[in-house]
Amino acid sequence: GIQVEQSPPDLILQEGANSTLRCNFSDSVNNLQWFHQNPWGQLINLFYIPSGTKQNGRLSATTVATERYSLLYISSSQTTDSGVYFCAVEADSSYKLIFGSGTRLLVRP
Amino acid sequence: KAGVTQTPRYLIKTRGQQVTLSCSPISGHRSVSWYQQTPGQGLQFLFEYFSETQRNKGNFPGRFSGRQFSNSRSEMNVSTLELGDSALYLCASSPGVIAGNTIYFGEGSWLTVV
């Protein structure tokens, strides 16, 4: 089945710094989403981005489907950005998401 | 518009018991899927339902089952609970008519098996 790899596994930043999170996937996909998991466990949708580039405030994402990777950019990080970021893909119109293992981000004040 | 609602949020069960978790999707969404999150295995797909039909199922034992009702609400059941079933169970919904839609998650149900 399709494999999803995220890097780095852990990231520590000072408030105000920028960061790039990467997601590699092993096959073509018809859905790719980025999520932020809050301390209470809920997965918050950040982007639906099977291809192309999107921006939402300080966050932006780019997916290059032909090269099978996606990037999540966080600019001017804030302590509230801390948490785990997941990339998840759907392949073969399977109606199921395959998740990467996540990037744990800690933003220090 | 209300999000995906899961109940109960927290529960503690004893080994051998069974548990039923409930999920109400976003209004108008007809696809409901379930995921299990554990520290060791990460986030894993359990099953997905659309219009009361299971369209896909993950690699879990038969103790894990689910169903969807005509109003799109869904329940999942775990019988003969084991310690390893302790996890966060997440429900998600999407419009679901075709694959590749944005999927939205609820707050989850934290299950502890003692």
Side-chain angles (χ1 to χ4, degrees), chain B residues 25 29-33 48-54 66-75:
Chain B
H29 285 190
R30 293 163 63 189
S31 167
V32 174
S33 49
E48 187 267 355
Y49 290 88
F50 178 81
S51 291
E52 302 179 69
T53 299
Q54 186 182 87
R67 59 178 176 168
Q68 186 181 35
F69 303 96
S70 58
N71 61 358
S72 294
R73 191 177 70 84
S74 176
E75 289 180 348

Side-chain angles (χ1 to χ4, degrees), chain A residues 30 90-97, chain B residues 45 48 55-56 99:
Chain A
N30 54 289
E90 178 186 354
D92 298 327
S93 298
S94 60
Y95 307 106
K96 73 177 186 182
L97 290 176
Chain B
F45 170 79
E48 187 267 355
R55 291 192 296 192
N56 204 345

Side-chain angles (χ1 to χ4, degrees), chain B residues 2-101:
Chain B
V4 180
T5 304
Q6 292 187 243
T7 57
R9 292 292 323 282
Y10 306 91
L11 64 168
I12 301 173
K13 291 287 188 178
T14 304
R15 271 181 301 176
Q17 287 186 316
Q18 72 165 8
V19 66
T20 299
L21 307 178
S22 179
C23 174
S24 293
I26 292 170
S27 177
H29 285 190
R30 293 163 63 189
S31 167
V32 174
S33 49
W34 290 88
Y35 293 79
Q36 180 197 63
Q37 185 176 24
T38 60
Q41 299 298 318
L43 279 149
Q44 294 186 289
F45 170 79
L46 282 158
F47 24 66
E48 187 267 355
Y49 290 88
F50 178 81
S51 291
E52 302 179 69
T53 299
Q54 186 182 87
R55 291 192 296 192
N56 204 345
K57 185 179 190 302
N59 188 24
F60 279 82
R63 300 185 296 106
F64 291 80
S65 63
R67 59 178 176 168
Q68 186 181 35
F69 303 96
S70 58
N71 61 358
S72 294
R73 191 177 70 84
S74 176
E75 289 180 348
M76 67 162 283
N77 183 276
V78 188
S79 63
T80 318
L81 284 165
E82 301 177 359
L83 295 179
D85 298 332
S86 296
L88 174 63
Y89 290 88
L90 290 160
C91 172
S93 79
S94 76
V97 177
I98 58 172
N101 291 141

